[in-house]
Structures are given as structure tokens and as C-alpha cells.
């Protein structure tokens, strides 16, 4: 029997874009059911438009954000007070209305911060903002040919910090030593796909199989597992687009529940979005053996699924939440949020028995997921929201287009 679980050397309260478990599922607690003036702890202005999700390490909040036209990382305490900021080179602004040069979230191993920007800069800092090393991945490996803005965040293994680039042209995974920045390995990851199918915006997942660390990568219409020591492909699963539909890039990151990856794929329109359940096991080409199920009834193009610890919770771009049994793909409940012309770009997060879903226009829905789901509250916060909600010690932290905000249970 294959044992598969989320595990990585990350240390911190929320040291990764998707939280402590890389799936948007945060620790139990008493989190606010309503986000309003009564539950608002503080609001701190930000110096520029960024869309990355904050992380929390050593009870400090870190986020990438442009400052005076430069790529930068900012640090705040849990009361919203600015601790320090560090600027790098000139920002390359976002192309999409909801994009920026700071789409990628930081990651931390508890001693270092690792940041990446659309400009191509990958850098390591200590927790006080001192730069340890930096690389220009565009200068090293060529420009990105993504149609839209960069979306992949750095991830951390026991061996190093890993970045991926999946685009039209030479795609790759690369790993650098965490303390020194020396190149440990670089491997190609190229697949033939219909137009734009090779464009990838998802973030890898670090997990374990049979006690060994592996890197899961979703993109170019393939799910692959890699050895973190050398990047070697351990197994690959394809056949996600048998009809060769064009313009299906990989945006949402899969969610891992036990030994099953729930993989969303396809645009949220009449081109039939799909959801796949892939068992993590074996070696070589596992396309024929490891697909447990697929459905065209549910999926998400942009928001990544989350989990309540047992089931996958999939938020569609148009606001339909489906609770999916990972082993079978069976729907256990479904909730449609109020309809609106705006879409969901932020990935939902689960804190305690509550799911937080932020719509791009700045409306946040709090859903009680105890038993059959029900809408607990709906609140418009006055600015666009693209980053994912972060939960910590009964706090909900939201990064808007203009402000960093905190809501707390009194």
C-alpha cells in the first residue's frame, strides 16, 4: 500500500502560498463568521499592486509587492505594523487586469525567505530582510513565453528551493541550494500539446510516497512526480485532454488528499471543464492505471481546490462550491454562491469549519461547511481581491489590491 501525505521541510505558521499543508486548509480555531467593522483588527496600506498571497513565519507576515516601481518584499507584524522592506530590480508589470509583477508568493524554510517575480528574479533573504543570494532566471534560461503573467511560486524540498517554468518552448524544473544559491540540478519538462496547453501557472506540491519525498508538477496536460535529489521523472500521467481542445492552460493547482490528487482542468465555459482523480503510485507511465475517475460536472479554471481534511472542496470561477469524495469523484454537497458578473480568481481557504471565498470585485463569502454547507455571511470589502485568504490564531488575513487587512474573532 502506498502511503502519501503532505510533508516538507517548511517551518512556520503558514510558510507557503497554500498554507501549512499546501492545500488551503488551516488549523482549527474560532475564526470570524462575519468580516465587518466589528471584526476588523486592522488595515495597512500597501505601496503597489501585487496579487501574491502572504505567508506567516515566526509570527511575521511576508508578502511580495511592488514598491516605487521595483520588485520588493515587505514584512509586517501581526498587528499590521511594517517591520522592513527590501527592493530589488525594476518591476515588470502584469498584463492581465488581475495580474501583477508580484504574482508569486514567498516560501520559507523557517530560516530563509524565497521570492520570485515576473521579471525573472529569484532571491533568498533571511527573516530580517538581508539578501543571501539572487539569480536572474531570464538571463540564465531565456525569457518566458507565457501568454499571461507568471503564476508559479517557489517550493521547498529537503534538498533545495525549486522553481518551474512551463510555457511554449523549453520548459523545465530547476533546484538551487537553499543557503548558497548554487545550482543543484535542472531538468527539461516538455510535452506536445494543443495551442496554449503547454502554458502552466500552477505551483508544484511537495509530498511523500512510501516515506520518500517527491515533487508533484501539474502542467502541459501531464501530472508528473519527480525525485527532489536530481529532478528525475518517477512517473507521469497524461490523457487529460483526449479531444485535443486548444487554449487549455494549467492554472489551478491540484489538491492532494491522502494518496489522491484532485486535478481541475479546462476553462470555465462551454468547453466542458473537467475534474480528475489521480492515484499517486507506481512508476513510469501510469496514465492507464492511476486515473480513478473523471467528471465534467465540476471543475475550476483559476481558483485552486482546497480541502476540509477529508473531501476536496472545488470552487468554480462562477461561484459554485462542490464537495467531492477524492476516491470516487462523488459529489456529497453543492452550494451556489450569489450570481454576479465578477468571477473568482482567489483560491478558497478552509479555517476551522468555515470556508472563505473571495470574489475579484472584493466580496468575501464565508461558508459554514459543517454538514451540509450554508452561507454564513457576505461582505464587500471595497477593493479587488485576488490573493487567497490566510488563517492564523483566529485571524483571517486578506491581501487586497491596495491594503493588507486582518479580521479577528473577538
Amino acid at each position: 500500500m502506498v502511503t502519501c501525505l503532505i510533508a516538507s521541510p517548511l517551518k512556520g505558521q503558514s510558510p507557503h502560498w497554500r498554507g501549512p499543508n499546501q492545500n488551503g486548509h488551516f488549523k482549527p480555531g474560532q475564526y470570524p463568521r462575519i468580516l465587518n467593522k466589528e471584526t476588523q483588527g486592522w488595515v495597512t496600506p500597501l505601496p503597489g499592486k501585487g496579487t501574491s498571497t502572504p505567508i506567516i513565519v515566526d509570527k511575521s507576515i511576508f508578502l511580495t509587492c511592488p514598491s516605487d516601481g521595483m520588485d520588493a518584499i515587505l514584512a509586517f507584524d501581526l498587528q499590521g505594523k511594517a517591520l522592513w522592506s527590501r527592493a530589488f530590480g525594476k518591476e515588470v508589470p502584469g498584463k492581465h487586469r488581475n495580474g501583477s509583477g508580484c504574482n508569486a508568493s514567498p516560501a520559507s524554510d523557517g530560516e530563509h525567505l524565497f521570492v520570485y517575480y515576473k521579471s525573472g528574479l529569484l532571491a533568498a533573504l533571511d527573516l530580517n530582510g538581508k539578501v543571501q543570494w539572487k539569480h536572474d532566471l531570464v538571463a540564465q534560461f531565456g525569457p518566458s513565453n507565457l501568454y499571461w503573467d507568471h503564476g508559479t511560486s517557489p517550493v521547498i524540498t529537503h534538498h533545495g528551493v525549486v522553481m518551474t517554468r512551463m510555457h511554449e518552448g523549453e520548459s523545465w524544473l530547476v533546484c538551487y541550494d537553499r543557503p548558497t544559491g548554487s545550482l543543484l540540478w535542472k531538468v527539461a519538462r516538455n510535452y506536445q500539446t494543443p495551442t496554449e496547453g503547454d502554458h502552466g501557472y500552477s505551483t508544484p506540491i511537495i509530498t511523500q510516497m512510501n516515506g520518500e519525498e517527491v515533487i508533484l508538477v501539474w502542467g502541459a496536460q501531464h501530472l508528473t512526480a519527480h525525485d527532489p535529489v536530481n529532478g528525475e521523472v518517477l512517473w507521469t500521467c497524461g490523457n487529460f485532454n483526449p479531444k485535443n481542445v486548444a487554449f487549455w492552460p494549467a492554472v489551478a493547482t491540484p489538491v492532494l488528499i491522502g494518496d489522491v490528487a484532485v486535478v481541475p482542468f479546462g476553462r470555465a465555459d462551454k468547453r466542458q471543464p473537467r475534474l480528475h482523480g489521480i492515484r499517486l503510485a507506481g512508476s513510469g507511465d501510469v496514465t492507464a492505471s492511476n486515473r480513478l475517475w473523471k467528471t465534467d460536472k465540476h471543475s475550476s479554471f483559476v481558483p485552486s481546490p482546497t480541502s476540509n481534511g477529508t473531501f476536496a472542496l472545488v470552487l468554480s470561477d462562477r461561484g459554485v462550491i462542490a464537495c467531492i469524495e477524492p476516491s470516487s469523484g462523488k459529489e456529497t454537497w453543492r452550494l451556489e454562491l450569489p450570481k454576479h458578473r465578477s468571477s473568482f480568481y482567489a483560491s478558497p481557504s478552509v479555517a476551522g469549519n468555515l470556508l472563505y471565498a473571495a470574489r475579484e470585485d472584493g466580496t468575501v463569502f464565508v461558508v459554514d461547511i459543517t454538514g451540509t454547507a450554508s452561507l454564513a455571511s457576505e461582505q464587500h470589502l471595497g477593493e479587488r481581491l485576488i490573493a487567497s485568504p490566510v488563517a492564523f490564531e483566529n485571524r483571517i488575513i486578506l491581501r487586497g489590491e491596495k491594503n493588507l487587512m486582518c479580521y479577528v474573532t473577538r
Side-chain angles (χ1 to χ4, degrees), residues 57 114 184-185 247 273:
V57 180
F114 302 96
L184 298 180
W185 51 259
F247 306 107

Side-chain angles (χ1 to χ4, degrees), residues 79-272:
Q79 287 70 49
K81 178 184 176 181
L83 298 176
W84 54 261
S85 66
R86 185 69 59 225
F88 297 98
K90 185 177 180 181
E91 176 202 13
V92 176
K95 179 180 179 182
H96 191 275
R97 70 178 185 277
N98 289 331
S100 74
C102 299
N103 283 358
S105 295
S108 176
D109 59 4
E111 298 178 358
H112 308 89
L113 300 165
F114 302 96
V115 292
Y116 185 78
Y117 304 90
K118 184 181 177 181
S119 63
L121 175 71
L122 174 69
L125 309 90
D126 66 20
L127 298 187
N128 295 313
K130 182 179 179 181
V131 176
Q132 305 297 294
W133 52 263
K134 56 185 178 179
H135 293 292
D136 184 339
L137 302 196
V138 170
Q140 287 186 1
F141 308 127
S144 169
N145 292 322
L146 289 169
Y147 185 83
W148 294 110
D149 305 310
H150 175 88
T152 303
S153 297
V155 294
I156 298 170
T157 73
H158 284 92
H159 301 274
V161 55
V162 174
M163 281 296 303
T164 66
R165 181 190 292 168
M166 293 173 283
H167 66 162
E168 182 181 356
E170 181 70 11
S171 297
W172 42 258
L173 282 75
V174 65
C175 182
Y176 293 94
D177 181 66
R178 301 202 311 258
T180 68
S182 61
L183 180 64
L184 298 180
W185 51 259
K186 176 177 177 285
V187 296
R189 189 185 185 279
N190 298 306
Y191 293 97
Q192 291 293 321
T193 71
T195 301
E196 206 179 341
D198 48 4
H199 291 213
Y201 305 87
S202 65
T203 293
I205 300 170
I206 309 303
T207 187
Q208 286 190 355
M209 293 176 56
N210 292 331
E212 298 293 331
E213 189 177 55
V214 296
I215 307 168
L216 294 181
V217 181
W218 163 241
Q221 303 180 4
H222 287 76
L223 182 68
T224 54
H226 299 257
D227 187 332
V229 176
N230 53 24
E232 178 184 351
V233 176
L234 303 174
W235 55 256
T236 180
C237 182
N239 199 33
F240 286 88
N241 186 11
K243 294 183 180 180
N244 288 321
V245 180
F247 306 107
W248 273 10
V251 182
T253 296
V255 64
L256 181 59
I257 305 170
D259 65 349
V260 178
V262 177
V263 184
F265 187 43
R267 290 185 179 271
D269 56 20
K270 295 180 181 179
R271 284 176 278 191
Q272 287 190 308

Side-chain angles (χ1 to χ4, degrees), residues 12-24:
Q13 292 81 24
S14 181
H16 182 271
W17 163 58
R18 296 257 62 202
N21 302 305
Q22 297 181 268
N23 60 4

